[in-house]
Amino acid sequence: MRFLIAALILLVSAPASAEPIKELAPLAPFTGKTWRTIDGSVDGSDNFVDTSKWEWILHGRVVRITHSIGDGSYAGESLIHWDDVQGKIIYRYVTTAGFYTDGVITPVENGIEVHEFVRGSKSGPTETLSAYRIEDGRMHGWSKLLIGGVWGEANEFVYEEAPDAVPNIN
């Protein structure tokens, strides 16, 4: 009960700001927007549309990304936050396909780099590497997968802002 009371006090007294904490500031160019692929894909195919909504939650201490492919046949959600112990931006990504990933985001000069480890999958990649940057108002990126101990070729993709788009995560 004491925990609940303390949590309520913190909730009421915490500022209602959507400004990020300084450790998450490198994610600001991506966040507060909904993005949709317009070219390429993260899996090498050109026949799907990925819609991703990036938003600040918990007073700028967390970024939540919800995304879906096509009509929602595949979807996932990420919670990104700063880890004081590791001194890193970390996240967990949970999917409708039954697997999840744990990852680290590293700010770089023109964007972010992402390294994630796949958990709970019986086949497919065990790790992914990717990078994202904002250029000309679009989000550009690449990703590559580690399958069977071998890194595949990088797939490139471009997202544009799609304010009216809504990821189908149900």
Side-chain angles (χ1 to χ4, degrees), residues 94-160:
V94 182
T95 72
T96 58
F99 69 88
Y100 67 96
T101 69
D102 291 313
V104 175
I105 296 174
T106 304
V108 294
E109 185 176 335
N110 293 319
I112 57 174
E113 293 180 350
V114 180
H115 186 187
E116 61 188 327
F117 300 88
V118 180
R119 315 279 193 226
S121 177
K122 293 180 171 67
S123 63
T126 55
E127 293 181 47
T128 69
L129 293 174
S130 56
Y132 302 85
R133 71 184 188 290
I134 304 296
E135 184 178 302
D136 299 326
R138 294 180 171 170
M139 180 169 50
H140 296 258
W142 61 263
S143 69
K144 59 183 177 177
L145 311 174
L146 180 65
I147 300 174
V150 177
W151 285 103
E153 294 292 319
N155 297 308
E156 294 185 13
F157 43 86
V158 179
Y159 290 76
E160 66 182 359

Side-chain angles (χ1 to χ4, degrees), residues 28-132:
F30 305 94
T31 307
K33 300 174 178 137
T34 301
W35 301 93
R36 178 178 284 152
T37 51
I38 59 169
D39 185 33
S41 74
V42 294
D43 71 352
S45 66
D46 288 324
N47 60 356
F48 81 87
V49 174
D50 181 358
T51 303
S52 301
K53 180 178 181 180
W54 294 53
E55 59 187 321
W56 296 112
I57 62 170
L58 302 178
H59 306 290
R61 301 184 78 66
V62 176
V63 172
R64 175 175 41 212
I65 301 172
T66 51
H67 88 99
S68 64
I69 304 295
D71 63 357
S73 58
Y74 173 85
E77 182 167 336
S78 298
L79 294 177
I80 303 167
H81 62 95
W82 176 255
D83 184 300
D84 275 331
V85 174
Q86 296 182 54
K88 298 177 181 179
I89 300 171
I90 64 170
Y91 68 95
R92 174 155 291 176
Y93 168 59
V94 182
T95 72
T96 58
F99 69 88
Y100 67 96
T101 69
D102 291 313
V104 175
I105 296 174
T106 304
V108 294
E109 185 176 335
N110 293 319
I112 57 174
E113 293 180 350
V114 180
H115 186 187
E116 61 188 327
F117 300 88
V118 180
R119 315 279 193 226
S121 177
K122 293 180 171 67
S123 63
T126 55
E127 293 181 47
T128 69
L129 293 174
S130 56
Y132 302 85

